[in-house]
Amino acid sequence: MGVHAMTLDLSHLTTATRELACNDAKARILSVQTARWVTYPRAGIAVEELERRFHYPTCARMPCMLLYGDSGMGKSMILEKMERQHPSSYDERKGITKRPVVIVQMPSSPDERRFYTRILEILGAPYSVRDQIGALEGRVIHLLKQLGTQLLFIDEVHHLLAGSHREQRRALNLLKFLTNELKIVIVAVGTSDAFHALQTDVQVASRFEPLLIPRWTETDAFRAFVVAYGKLLPLRKSSPFGDPEMIRALIKQSDGVTGRVTWLLGRAAEIAIQDGTELIESSTVQRVSERLRLMAS
Amino acid sequence: MNASPKVWPLCPRPQVDESLPSWFERVGYEYAMSPALLLGAVEHATRGKAKVDQSLPASRLYESSLADRLTALANLSDTEREALWTSPSRWELHDRSFCTYCPHCCIADLAEGRAPYGRRIWQQAWCTVCKVHGTALIIRNIAHTPNNRSSWSHAALKVHREFLAANRYRDLKVRSQPAVRSTILGCLVEIEQTTAAAIAGGAPNPLLWGPLTAASFLTILEDVTTWALTHFEAVRCWSVAEDFTPTEEQEGYGLIGRGQRMSASDYRPEQLTRSLRTITNPKVRGAALWTAHALLATCHTAASDRSSGATPQDRQSAMLAGAPSASREWIAQRQAEWPPEYRRSRWIDVSEMS
């Protein structure tokens, strides 16, 4: 059963979360499990850089970018945020769906056909298995131009390492071709492997300016991130998110990976809601982590 | 297949008077896909290794299951859907593709900055003359290559237009008589207008066509044109409609024309006759309507080298006398269905011809 906001001191939460904190346990746990965007300096820089590139005038050599970092560092969240900020719109008179931002994943093995058909699938455009690669390529180029695409994200770009040397060369040439032909900003996104893969081709490396999303360390920025994240968890009591002990515990248990930090906090919040303690302490984080280790062993 | 599909990111809107195959073709151009390939992609038929027929059976586009899917993919409004999937009438060509066009209309489309499109009216079997420009429709023979963005070339259209207008490339076999061309065009326009009005429910002018209701007029027109187009002989020959005099052949260029010499044995096994609906080429249909005008209209000026009389009965006698007896028997049989008063006042008794 939910409680009335007046009976609780919820000043430790954001205004929107205060309402959620009055809901019953089930609804609050569901809200904890929902992904949310929390800005932090590095992500802020990434979004700012992407915004700058989004508005860049068309020129022969567009400022492409390589966004890289370990898995779970929130790169995909940055992509989704950009997509949310520039949503697609449908022009009923012309029958065109404008797609300023397109996100596509590099196929698990670098294959031009699969790459182009994946873009066509994402756009909802028709294609046939009988299409030649040239036809698919032409269709993708024509569509992205017609749909007014300004940012093309190629996620999991480190997959190009999964191919043979010859396939890797072809995938790098594909990136080069797309930057030349489309004259839009292409953002390659992947792990550190992607950085190394792109460095193997001087031309590609010079086109894609790298931006690293590094792992967290015990810094003020991390503290600020944890405190901001804590304000979004609908717990009815204030938790010591900024305490050095909590910060140390989170860094130790997560290895500084954003995804693991938020997972630990989320799981701890679920436990706090279920057992009625309504707050997270460093010991809660350790308990969650131990349980995780037990499950894995 | 049944899940709600994504709307196509690029999809030109259908024009108000556009035919379904024409619109579908224009959609295909946006993706550099031939209509057959696009249809395969829509039906997921090409997802396997199955070989797909490159020719598009346009009638498949009219299937209701495909109508639902295309409506969703193209985000069509109810009005657009209703216009594209109009219920078929008994006057639609069997070939439902975008098979005929008016070069003047297509040039006008290009001038207005849009892709040329096929009008629904061009799919009507009785329509051989453009209602806007008063010129002959042309058969469209276009090979779709997957990389085509458009099959229309302004230069090619202009050549067609000028070819028809100046008729400058023909061989003059007989003395030039430009008036005959105007006469043929006038007759075609007259009979096509009357047919369009009759389909809409309007009775034909009794002074011009005799005492007929709209329905009777359409039945008689269908019978007469089918008779004129059918080969009743065992040897290869021209049908009555295609058996032109030299002046008709020369001056009627583009408006009326021939297919090839045939006999009834050249027809498909299930086909007994050739009607307007079975013939795609507008100039052959024009020839049948020209013959029908001679047989049915009160006033008909024939080409100068065609023996013709002052009354429809005179012209009927002349034409039927030269026709094979099987064809006379056929028309006599059909006449039994015609209104008796009309037969008495406007037709000769074919059964009495020896």
Side-chain angles (χ1 to χ4, degrees), chain A residues 90 92-97 121-124 126-131 139 142-143 146-147, chain B residues 6-11 13 30-33 37-38 41 46-48 52 54 74-75 147 149:
Chain A
Y90 182 66
E92 211 162 307
R93 201 173 55 82
K94 291 181 183 164
I96 296 180
T97 308
E121 265 170 16
I122 285 165
L123 297 177
Y127 69 92
S128 156
V129 287
R130 295 177 66 246
D131 280 321
R139 196 171 305 153
H142 175 72
L143 273 176
Q146 292 294 310
L147 306 184
Chain B
K6 266 188 184 176
V7 173
W8 278 329
L10 271 183
C11 188
R13 310 321 295 167
E30 291 295 345
Y31 301 101
M33 290 174 99
L37 207 58
L38 181 59
T46 53
R47 293 290 158 103
V52 172
Q54 265 302 302
N75 199 21
N147 292 327
R149 283 258 175 258

mmCIF file of all heavy atoms in Angstrom, chain A residues 90 92-97 121-124 126-131 139 142-143 146-147, chain B residues 6-11 13 30-33 37-38 41 46-48 52 54 74-75 147 149:
data_model
loop_
_atom_site.group_PDB
_atom_site.id
_atom_site.type_symbol
_atom_site.label_atom_id
_atom_site.label_comp_id
_atom_site.label_asym_id
_atom_site.label_seq_id
_atom_site.Cartn_x
_atom_site.Cartn_y
_atom_site.Cartn_z
ATOM 1 N N TYR A 90 7.540 12.202 -38.706
ATOM 2 C CA TYR A 90 6.932 11.745 -39.964
ATOM 3 C C TYR A 90 6.264 12.906 -40.692
ATOM 4 O O TYR A 90 5.416 13.596 -40.119
ATOM 5 C CB TYR A 90 5.912 10.638 -39.656
ATOM 6 C CG TYR A 90 5.266 10.062 -40.888
ATOM 7 C CD1 TYR A 90 6.020 9.345 -41.808
ATOM 8 C CD2 TYR A 90 3.912 10.233 -41.132
ATOM 9 C CE1 TYR A 90 5.440 8.818 -42.947
ATOM 10 C CE2 TYR A 90 3.320 9.695 -42.273
ATOM 11 C CZ TYR A 90 4.089 8.994 -43.172
ATOM 12 O OH TYR A 90 3.514 8.472 -44.301
ATOM 13 N N GLU A 92 3.742 13.720 -43.168
ATOM 14 C CA GLU A 92 2.613 13.012 -43.796
ATOM 15 C C GLU A 92 2.405 13.419 -45.264
ATOM 16 O O GLU A 92 2.039 12.600 -46.093
ATOM 17 C CB GLU A 92 1.336 13.305 -43.002
ATOM 18 C CG GLU A 92 0.361 12.158 -43.032
ATOM 19 C CD GLU A 92 -0.653 12.294 -41.929
ATOM 20 O OE1 GLU A 92 -0.264 12.456 -40.761
ATOM 21 O OE2 GLU A 92 -1.832 12.254 -42.253
ATOM 22 N N ARG A 93 2.689 14.696 -45.567
ATOM 23 C CA ARG A 93 2.456 15.192 -46.926
ATOM 24 C C ARG A 93 3.414 14.553 -47.933
ATOM 25 O O ARG A 93 3.018 14.171 -49.023
ATOM 26 C CB ARG A 93 2.608 16.714 -46.932
ATOM 27 C CG ARG A 93 1.939 17.428 -48.089
ATOM 28 C CD ARG A 93 2.015 18.920 -47.899
ATOM 29 N NE ARG A 93 3.378 19.389 -47.703
ATOM 30 C CZ ARG A 93 4.242 19.616 -48.692
ATOM 31 N NH1 ARG A 93 3.882 19.416 -49.936
ATOM 32 N NH2 ARG A 93 5.465 20.048 -48.451
ATOM 33 N N LYS A 94 4.667 14.434 -47.511
ATOM 34 C CA LYS A 94 5.674 13.871 -48.419
ATOM 35 C C LYS A 94 5.859 12.367 -48.225
ATOM 36 O O LYS A 94 6.490 11.712 -49.056
ATOM 37 C CB LYS A 94 7.022 14.569 -48.203
ATOM 38 C CG LYS A 94 7.036 16.011 -48.662
ATOM 39 C CD LYS A 94 8.406 16.608 -48.430
ATOM 40 C CE LYS A 94 8.435 18.075 -48.810
ATOM 41 N NZ LYS A 94 9.615 18.745 -48.258
ATOM 42 N N GLY A 95 5.373 11.846 -47.114
ATOM 43 C CA GLY A 95 5.554 10.420 -46.838
ATOM 44 C C GLY A 95 6.993 10.081 -46.476
ATOM 45 O O GLY A 95 7.503 9.035 -46.852
ATOM 46 N N ILE A 96 7.663 10.995 -45.750
ATOM 47 C CA ILE A 96 9.068 10.769 -45.365
ATOM 48 C C ILE A 96 9.188 10.766 -43.846
ATOM 49 O O ILE A 96 8.642 11.645 -43.179
ATOM 50 C CB ILE A 96 9.998 11.864 -45.943
ATOM 51 C CG1 ILE A 96 10.012 11.817 -47.464
ATOM 52 C CG2 ILE A 96 11.418 11.714 -45.410
ATOM 53 C CD1 ILE A 96 10.897 12.857 -48.113
ATOM 54 N N THR A 97 9.875 9.755 -43.325
ATOM 55 C CA THR A 97 10.170 9.743 -41.893
ATOM 56 C C THR A 97 11.567 10.309 -41.703
ATOM 57 O O THR A 97 12.549 9.671 -42.077
ATOM 58 C CB THR A 97 10.122 8.306 -41.337
ATOM 59 O OG1 THR A 97 8.880 7.721 -41.724
ATOM 60 C CG2 THR A 97 10.263 8.281 -39.829
ATOM 61 N N GLU A 121 16.855 -2.594 -42.181
ATOM 62 C CA GLU A 121 15.868 -3.111 -41.222
ATOM 63 C C GLU A 121 15.535 -2.063 -40.172
ATOM 64 O O GLU A 121 14.371 -1.859 -39.833
ATOM 65 C CB GLU A 121 16.412 -4.353 -40.527
ATOM 66 C CG GLU A 121 15.962 -5.641 -41.198
ATOM 67 C CD GLU A 121 16.684 -6.863 -40.668
ATOM 68 O OE1 GLU A 121 17.299 -6.790 -39.597
ATOM 69 O OE2 GLU A 121 16.643 -7.894 -41.364
ATOM 70 N N ILE A 122 16.566 -1.384 -39.683
ATOM 71 C CA ILE A 122 16.346 -0.353 -38.653
ATOM 72 C C ILE A 122 15.483 0.773 -39.217
ATOM 73 O O ILE A 122 14.589 1.278 -38.559
ATOM 74 C CB ILE A 122 17.698 0.182 -38.141
ATOM 75 C CG1 ILE A 122 18.337 -0.860 -37.226
ATOM 76 C CG2 ILE A 122 17.547 1.500 -37.390
ATOM 77 C CD1 ILE A 122 19.789 -0.632 -36.940
ATOM 78 N N LEU A 123 15.742 1.130 -40.468
ATOM 79 C CA LEU A 123 14.973 2.213 -41.085
ATOM 80 C C LEU A 123 13.580 1.754 -41.505
ATOM 81 O O LEU A 123 12.708 2.565 -41.771
ATOM 82 C CB LEU A 123 15.718 2.756 -42.311
ATOM 83 C CG LEU A 123 17.087 3.393 -42.054
ATOM 84 C CD1 LEU A 123 17.734 3.804 -43.373
ATOM 85 C CD2 LEU A 123 16.954 4.618 -41.157
ATOM 86 N N GLY A 124 13.387 0.436 -41.588
ATOM 87 C CA GLY A 124 12.093 -0.099 -42.032
ATOM 88 C C GLY A 124 11.975 -0.114 -43.543
ATOM 89 O O GLY A 124 10.867 -0.147 -44.085
ATOM 90 N N PRO A 126 12.445 -1.666 -47.435
ATOM 91 C CA PRO A 126 12.410 -3.022 -48.007
ATOM 92 C C PRO A 126 13.751 -3.425 -48.603
ATOM 93 O O PRO A 126 14.511 -2.570 -49.059
ATOM 94 C CB PRO A 126 11.347 -2.903 -49.102
ATOM 95 C CG PRO A 126 11.368 -1.469 -49.492
ATOM 96 C CD PRO A 126 11.743 -0.693 -48.267
ATOM 97 N N TYR A 127 14.032 -4.702 -48.599
ATOM 98 C CA TYR A 127 15.209 -5.237 -49.271
ATOM 99 C C TYR A 127 14.948 -6.696 -49.589
ATOM 100 O O TYR A 127 14.012 -7.298 -49.062
ATOM 101 C CB TYR A 127 16.473 -5.079 -48.412
ATOM 102 C CG TYR A 127 16.490 -5.938 -47.178
ATOM 103 C CD1 TYR A 127 17.061 -7.209 -47.191
ATOM 104 C CD2 TYR A 127 15.925 -5.487 -46.000
ATOM 105 C CE1 TYR A 127 17.061 -8.001 -46.055
ATOM 106 C CE2 TYR A 127 15.920 -6.276 -44.861
ATOM 107 C CZ TYR A 127 16.486 -7.531 -44.895
ATOM 108 O OH TYR A 127 16.472 -8.317 -43.780
ATOM 109 N N SER A 128 15.781 -7.217 -50.451
ATOM 110 C CA SER A 128 15.599 -8.600 -50.839
ATOM 111 C C SER A 128 16.941 -9.315 -50.749
ATOM 112 O O SER A 128 17.986 -8.700 -50.965
ATOM 113 C CB SER A 128 15.065 -8.625 -52.279
ATOM 114 O OG SER A 128 15.384 -9.845 -52.877
ATOM 115 N N VAL A 129 16.911 -10.596 -50.454
ATOM 116 C CA VAL A 129 18.171 -11.338 -50.389
ATOM 117 C C VAL A 129 18.818 -11.444 -51.770
ATOM 118 O O VAL A 129 19.987 -11.772 -51.877
ATOM 119 C CB VAL A 129 17.997 -12.769 -49.820
ATOM 120 C CG1 VAL A 129 17.737 -12.731 -48.343
ATOM 121 C CG2 VAL A 129 16.917 -13.511 -50.555
ATOM 122 N N ARG A 130 18.041 -11.146 -52.782
ATOM 123 C CA ARG A 130 18.580 -11.201 -54.133
ATOM 124 C C ARG A 130 19.319 -9.908 -54.500
ATOM 125 O O ARG A 130 19.928 -9.823 -55.544
ATOM 126 C CB ARG A 130 17.454 -11.467 -55.129
ATOM 127 C CG ARG A 130 16.801 -12.834 -54.937
ATOM 128 C CD ARG A 130 15.640 -13.037 -55.878
ATOM 129 N NE ARG A 130 16.077 -13.095 -57.246
ATOM 130 C CZ ARG A 130 15.767 -12.200 -58.170
ATOM 131 N NH1 ARG A 130 15.031 -11.176 -57.852
ATOM 132 N NH2 ARG A 130 16.184 -12.339 -59.397
ATOM 133 N N ASP A 131 19.214 -8.888 -53.647
ATOM 134 C CA ASP A 131 19.889 -7.619 -53.948
ATOM 135 C C ASP A 131 21.402 -7.800 -53.948
ATOM 136 O O ASP A 131 21.953 -8.440 -53.055
ATOM 137 C CB ASP A 131 19.528 -6.581 -52.877
ATOM 138 C CG ASP A 131 18.166 -5.961 -53.113
ATOM 139 O OD1 ASP A 131 17.839 -5.714 -54.277
ATOM 140 O OD2 ASP A 131 17.446 -5.725 -52.132
ATOM 141 N N ARG A 139 21.091 1.960 -51.956
ATOM 142 C CA ARG A 139 19.807 2.199 -51.278
ATOM 143 C C ARG A 139 20.043 2.855 -49.922
ATOM 144 O O ARG A 139 19.342 3.809 -49.554
ATOM 145 C CB ARG A 139 19.060 0.870 -51.116
ATOM 146 C CG ARG A 139 17.596 1.035 -50.793
ATOM 147 C CD ARG A 139 16.894 -0.303 -50.861
ATOM 148 N NE ARG A 139 17.117 -0.939 -52.149
ATOM 149 C CZ ARG A 139 17.102 -2.247 -52.348
ATOM 150 N NH1 ARG A 139 16.856 -3.065 -51.342
ATOM 151 N NH2 ARG A 139 17.310 -2.756 -53.541
ATOM 152 N N HIS A 142 21.224 6.494 -50.440
ATOM 153 C CA HIS A 142 20.084 7.311 -50.893
ATOM 154 C C HIS A 142 19.130 7.592 -49.726
ATOM 155 O O HIS A 142 18.697 8.727 -49.521
ATOM 156 C CB HIS A 142 19.362 6.563 -52.024
ATOM 157 C CG HIS A 142 18.106 7.228 -52.492
ATOM 158 N ND1 HIS A 142 18.113 8.391 -53.228
ATOM 159 C CD2 HIS A 142 16.802 6.911 -52.328
ATOM 160 C CE1 HIS A 142 16.875 8.744 -53.490
ATOM 161 N NE2 HIS A 142 16.056 7.868 -52.956
ATOM 162 N N LEU A 143 18.836 6.538 -48.948
ATOM 163 C CA LEU A 143 17.881 6.690 -47.845
ATOM 164 C C LEU A 143 18.410 7.638 -46.776
ATOM 165 O O LEU A 143 17.695 8.546 -46.342
ATOM 166 C CB LEU A 143 17.608 5.323 -47.206
ATOM 167 C CG LEU A 143 16.500 4.502 -47.847
ATOM 168 C CD1 LEU A 143 16.412 3.149 -47.195
ATOM 169 C CD2 LEU A 143 15.169 5.217 -47.704
ATOM 170 N N GLN A 146 18.111 11.109 -47.969
ATOM 171 C CA GLN A 146 16.723 11.562 -48.060
ATOM 172 C C GLN A 146 16.092 11.760 -46.690
ATOM 173 O O GLN A 146 15.229 12.613 -46.514
ATOM 174 C CB GLN A 146 15.884 10.558 -48.859
ATOM 175 C CG GLN A 146 16.221 10.462 -50.330
ATOM 176 C CD GLN A 146 15.893 11.731 -51.074
ATOM 177 O OE1 GLN A 146 14.807 12.256 -50.966
ATOM 178 N NE2 GLN A 146 16.850 12.259 -51.807
ATOM 179 N N LEU A 147 16.491 10.944 -45.719
ATOM 180 C CA LEU A 147 15.858 11.011 -44.401
ATOM 181 C C LEU A 147 16.499 12.068 -43.507
ATOM 182 O O LEU A 147 16.135 12.210 -42.349
ATOM 183 C CB LEU A 147 15.912 9.648 -43.697
ATOM 184 C CG LEU A 147 15.342 8.454 -44.475
ATOM 185 C CD1 LEU A 147 15.366 7.207 -43.624
ATOM 186 C CD2 LEU A 147 13.918 8.734 -44.941
ATOM 187 N N LYS B 6 6.703 -1.925 -39.928
ATOM 188 C CA LYS B 6 7.177 -0.544 -39.824
ATOM 189 C C LYS B 6 6.733 0.205 -41.067
ATOM 190 O O LYS B 6 6.695 -0.366 -42.149
ATOM 191 C CB LYS B 6 8.705 -0.537 -39.789
ATOM 192 C CG LYS B 6 9.321 -0.536 -38.416
ATOM 193 C CD LYS B 6 10.825 -0.338 -38.576
ATOM 194 C CE LYS B 6 11.539 -0.429 -37.266
ATOM 195 N NZ LYS B 6 12.989 -0.332 -37.424
ATOM 196 N N VAL B 7 6.470 1.499 -40.899
ATOM 197 C CA VAL B 7 6.098 2.306 -42.072
ATOM 198 C C VAL B 7 7.364 2.523 -42.902
ATOM 199 O O VAL B 7 8.437 2.754 -42.359
ATOM 200 C CB VAL B 7 5.520 3.661 -41.607
ATOM 201 C CG1 VAL B 7 5.278 4.584 -42.783
ATOM 202 C CG2 VAL B 7 4.231 3.440 -40.836
ATOM 203 N N TRP B 8 7.224 2.424 -44.225
ATOM 204 C CA TRP B 8 8.374 2.671 -45.098
ATOM 205 C C TRP B 8 8.891 4.087 -44.855
ATOM 206 O O TRP B 8 8.097 5.042 -44.847
ATOM 207 C CB TRP B 8 7.964 2.540 -46.563
ATOM 208 C CG TRP B 8 7.924 1.128 -47.056
ATOM 209 C CD1 TRP B 8 8.705 0.091 -46.640
ATOM 210 C CD2 TRP B 8 7.071 0.596 -48.079
ATOM 211 N NE1 TRP B 8 8.388 -1.046 -47.339
ATOM 212 C CE2 TRP B 8 7.396 -0.754 -48.224
ATOM 213 C CE3 TRP B 8 6.079 1.150 -48.872
ATOM 214 C CZ2 TRP B 8 6.754 -1.581 -49.131
ATOM 215 C CZ3 TRP B 8 5.442 0.338 -49.787
ATOM 216 C CH2 TRP B 8 5.784 -1.027 -49.917
ATOM 217 N N PRO B 9 10.218 4.243 -44.710
ATOM 218 C CA PRO B 9 10.731 5.577 -44.405
ATOM 219 C C PRO B 9 10.523 6.579 -45.543
ATOM 220 O O PRO B 9 10.399 7.772 -45.310
ATOM 221 C CB PRO B 9 12.217 5.341 -44.138
ATOM 222 C CG PRO B 9 12.543 4.048 -44.802
ATOM 223 C CD PRO B 9 11.297 3.231 -44.757
ATOM 224 N N LEU B 10 10.529 6.060 -46.771
ATOM 225 C CA LEU B 10 10.302 6.923 -47.940
ATOM 226 C C LEU B 10 9.144 6.334 -48.719
ATOM 227 O O LEU B 10 9.224 5.174 -49.122
ATOM 228 C CB LEU B 10 11.523 6.904 -48.853
ATOM 229 C CG LEU B 10 12.645 7.906 -48.642
ATOM 230 C CD1 LEU B 10 13.689 7.708 -49.716
ATOM 231 C CD2 LEU B 10 12.133 9.314 -48.666
ATOM 232 N N CYS B 11 8.104 7.097 -48.906
ATOM 233 C CA CYS B 11 6.972 6.526 -49.631
ATOM 234 C C CYS B 11 6.171 7.642 -50.302
ATOM 235 O O CYS B 11 5.435 8.361 -49.623
ATOM 236 C CB CYS B 11 6.096 5.738 -48.668
ATOM 237 S SG CYS B 11 4.841 4.840 -49.520
ATOM 238 N N ARG B 13 3.359 9.732 -51.909
ATOM 239 C CA ARG B 13 1.904 9.610 -51.732
ATOM 240 C C ARG B 13 1.244 9.355 -53.089
ATOM 241 O O ARG B 13 1.709 9.903 -54.112
ATOM 242 C CB ARG B 13 1.287 10.884 -51.122
ATOM 243 C CG ARG B 13 1.952 11.414 -49.872
ATOM 244 C CD ARG B 13 2.401 10.353 -48.918
ATOM 245 N NE ARG B 13 1.317 9.579 -48.338
ATOM 246 C CZ ARG B 13 1.489 8.453 -47.667
ATOM 247 N NH1 ARG B 13 2.709 7.965 -47.518
ATOM 248 N NH2 ARG B 13 0.472 7.802 -47.158
ATOM 249 N N GLU B 30 11.986 4.616 -55.330
ATOM 250 C CA GLU B 30 12.645 5.221 -54.163
ATOM 251 C C GLU B 30 13.706 4.283 -53.586
ATOM 252 O O GLU B 30 14.646 4.726 -52.941
ATOM 253 C CB GLU B 30 11.622 5.564 -53.072
ATOM 254 C CG GLU B 30 10.691 6.703 -53.434
ATOM 255 C CD GLU B 30 11.416 8.040 -53.589
ATOM 256 O OE1 GLU B 30 12.570 8.167 -53.155
ATOM 257 O OE2 GLU B 30 10.804 8.953 -54.176
ATOM 258 N N TYR B 31 13.488 2.982 -53.780
ATOM 259 C CA TYR B 31 14.434 2.011 -53.227
ATOM 260 C C TYR B 31 15.242 1.325 -54.337
ATOM 261 O O TYR B 31 15.897 0.317 -54.079
ATOM 262 C CB TYR B 31 13.670 0.964 -52.397
ATOM 263 C CG TYR B 31 12.912 1.607 -51.270
ATOM 264 C CD1 TYR B 31 11.551 1.844 -51.364
ATOM 265 C CD2 TYR B 31 13.586 2.030 -50.131
ATOM 266 C CE1 TYR B 31 10.866 2.480 -50.344
ATOM 267 C CE2 TYR B 31 12.912 2.649 -49.107
ATOM 268 C CZ TYR B 31 11.545 2.878 -49.215
ATOM 269 O OH TYR B 31 10.882 3.507 -48.206
ATOM 270 N N ALA B 32 15.174 1.888 -55.543
ATOM 271 C CA ALA B 32 15.846 1.298 -56.707
ATOM 272 C C ALA B 32 15.495 -0.176 -56.833
ATOM 273 O O ALA B 32 16.368 -1.031 -57.017
ATOM 274 C CB ALA B 32 17.363 1.497 -56.609
ATOM 275 N N MET B 33 14.222 -0.494 -56.673
ATOM 276 C CA MET B 33 13.771 -1.885 -56.787
ATOM 277 C C MET B 33 12.702 -1.967 -57.867
ATOM 278 O O MET B 33 11.829 -1.095 -57.950
ATOM 279 C CB MET B 33 13.149 -2.361 -55.465
ATOM 280 C CG MET B 33 14.148 -2.531 -54.342
ATOM 281 S SD MET B 33 13.329 -2.922 -52.792
ATOM 282 C CE MET B 33 13.560 -4.682 -52.750
ATOM 283 N N LEU B 37 10.562 -7.134 -57.553
ATOM 284 C CA LEU B 37 11.482 -7.317 -56.417
ATOM 285 C C LEU B 37 10.867 -6.728 -55.141
ATOM 286 O O LEU B 37 10.946 -7.319 -54.056
ATOM 287 C CB LEU B 37 12.803 -6.614 -56.731
ATOM 288 C CG LEU B 37 14.062 -7.164 -56.072
ATOM 289 C CD1 LEU B 37 14.271 -8.629 -56.427
ATOM 290 C CD2 LEU B 37 15.272 -6.361 -56.501
ATOM 291 N N LEU B 38 10.222 -5.563 -55.304
ATOM 292 C CA LEU B 38 9.596 -4.926 -54.141
ATOM 293 C C LEU B 38 8.444 -5.779 -53.627
ATOM 294 O O LEU B 38 8.289 -5.959 -52.413
ATOM 295 C CB LEU B 38 9.097 -3.520 -54.526
ATOM 296 C CG LEU B 38 8.440 -2.712 -53.417
ATOM 297 C CD1 LEU B 38 9.386 -2.489 -52.245
ATOM 298 C CD2 LEU B 38 7.956 -1.360 -53.931
ATOM 299 N N ALA B 41 9.817 -8.522 -51.684
ATOM 300 C CA ALA B 41 10.254 -8.093 -50.355
ATOM 301 C C ALA B 41 9.052 -7.903 -49.434
ATOM 302 O O ALA B 41 9.096 -8.246 -48.254
ATOM 303 C CB ALA B 41 11.041 -6.794 -50.459
ATOM 304 N N THR B 46 11.146 -13.456 -51.178
ATOM 305 C CA THR B 46 12.539 -13.556 -51.616
ATOM 306 C C THR B 46 13.485 -13.834 -50.454
ATOM 307 O O THR B 46 14.687 -13.830 -50.627
ATOM 308 C CB THR B 46 12.968 -12.250 -52.297
ATOM 309 O OG1 THR B 46 12.668 -11.200 -51.416
ATOM 310 C CG2 THR B 46 12.287 -12.082 -53.607
ATOM 311 N N ARG B 47 12.920 -14.058 -49.263
ATOM 312 C CA ARG B 47 13.806 -14.323 -48.134
ATOM 313 C C ARG B 47 14.510 -15.670 -48.291
ATOM 314 O O ARG B 47 15.556 -15.894 -47.755
ATOM 315 C CB ARG B 47 13.023 -14.292 -46.810
ATOM 316 C CG ARG B 47 12.515 -12.917 -46.466
ATOM 317 C CD ARG B 47 13.678 -12.015 -46.095
ATOM 318 N NE ARG B 47 13.327 -10.620 -46.251
ATOM 319 C CZ ARG B 47 13.036 -9.822 -45.250
ATOM 320 N NH1 ARG B 47 13.046 -10.257 -44.029
ATOM 321 N NH2 ARG B 47 12.742 -8.557 -45.471
ATOM 322 N N GLY B 48 13.877 -16.583 -49.014
ATOM 323 C CA GLY B 48 14.508 -17.878 -49.236
ATOM 324 C C GLY B 48 15.317 -17.850 -50.520
ATOM 325 O O GLY B 48 15.608 -16.796 -51.064
ATOM 326 N N VAL B 52 12.456 -15.835 -58.117
ATOM 327 C CA VAL B 52 11.287 -14.967 -58.210
ATOM 328 C C VAL B 52 11.102 -14.507 -59.646
ATOM 329 O O VAL B 52 12.060 -14.130 -60.315
ATOM 330 C CB VAL B 52 11.455 -13.755 -57.281
ATOM 331 C CG1 VAL B 52 10.355 -12.751 -57.498
ATOM 332 C CG2 VAL B 52 11.467 -14.215 -55.838
ATOM 333 N N GLN B 54 10.567 -12.194 -62.525
ATOM 334 C CA GLN B 54 10.876 -10.767 -62.662
ATOM 335 C C GLN B 54 9.675 -9.953 -63.132
ATOM 336 O O GLN B 54 9.605 -8.761 -62.910
ATOM 337 C CB GLN B 54 12.030 -10.574 -63.638
ATOM 338 C CG GLN B 54 13.382 -10.484 -62.960
ATOM 339 C CD GLN B 54 13.484 -9.364 -61.928
ATOM 340 O OE1 GLN B 54 13.289 -8.208 -62.225
ATOM 341 N NE2 GLN B 54 13.780 -9.725 -60.690
ATOM 342 N N ALA B 74 2.745 1.796 -46.089
ATOM 343 C CA ALA B 74 2.797 3.126 -46.701
ATOM 344 C C ALA B 74 2.023 4.156 -45.892
ATOM 345 O O ALA B 74 1.975 5.321 -46.286
ATOM 346 C CB ALA B 74 2.232 3.054 -48.116
ATOM 347 N N ASN B 75 1.429 3.716 -44.797
ATOM 348 C CA ASN B 75 0.649 4.615 -43.932
ATOM 349 C C ASN B 75 -0.409 5.364 -44.761
ATOM 350 O O ASN B 75 -0.519 6.585 -44.697
ATOM 351 C CB ASN B 75 1.604 5.603 -43.245
ATOM 352 C CG ASN B 75 0.971 6.235 -42.029
ATOM 353 O OD1 ASN B 75 0.012 5.683 -41.472
ATOM 354 N ND2 ASN B 75 1.475 7.375 -41.622
ATOM 355 N N ASN B 147 18.331 -1.053 -60.617
ATOM 356 C CA ASN B 147 19.002 0.188 -60.258
ATOM 357 C C ASN B 147 18.349 1.426 -60.859
ATOM 358 O O ASN B 147 18.835 2.526 -60.684
ATOM 359 C CB ASN B 147 20.475 0.127 -60.666
ATOM 360 C CG ASN B 147 21.209 -0.879 -59.821
ATOM 361 O OD1 ASN B 147 20.879 -1.054 -58.655
ATOM 362 N ND2 ASN B 147 22.168 -1.556 -60.405
ATOM 363 N N ARG B 149 16.201 4.505 -61.053
ATOM 364 C CA ARG B 149 15.490 5.407 -60.143
ATOM 365 C C ARG B 149 14.183 5.850 -60.806
ATOM 366 O O ARG B 149 13.218 6.133 -60.156
ATOM 367 C CB ARG B 149 16.345 6.615 -59.798
ATOM 368 C CG ARG B 149 17.406 6.318 -58.782
ATOM 369 C CD ARG B 149 17.036 6.802 -57.387
ATOM 370 N NE ARG B 149 18.074 6.368 -56.459
ATOM 371 C CZ ARG B 149 17.941 5.343 -55.654
ATOM 372 N NH1 ARG B 149 16.823 4.671 -55.602
ATOM 373 N NH2 ARG B 149 18.914 4.982 -54.855
#
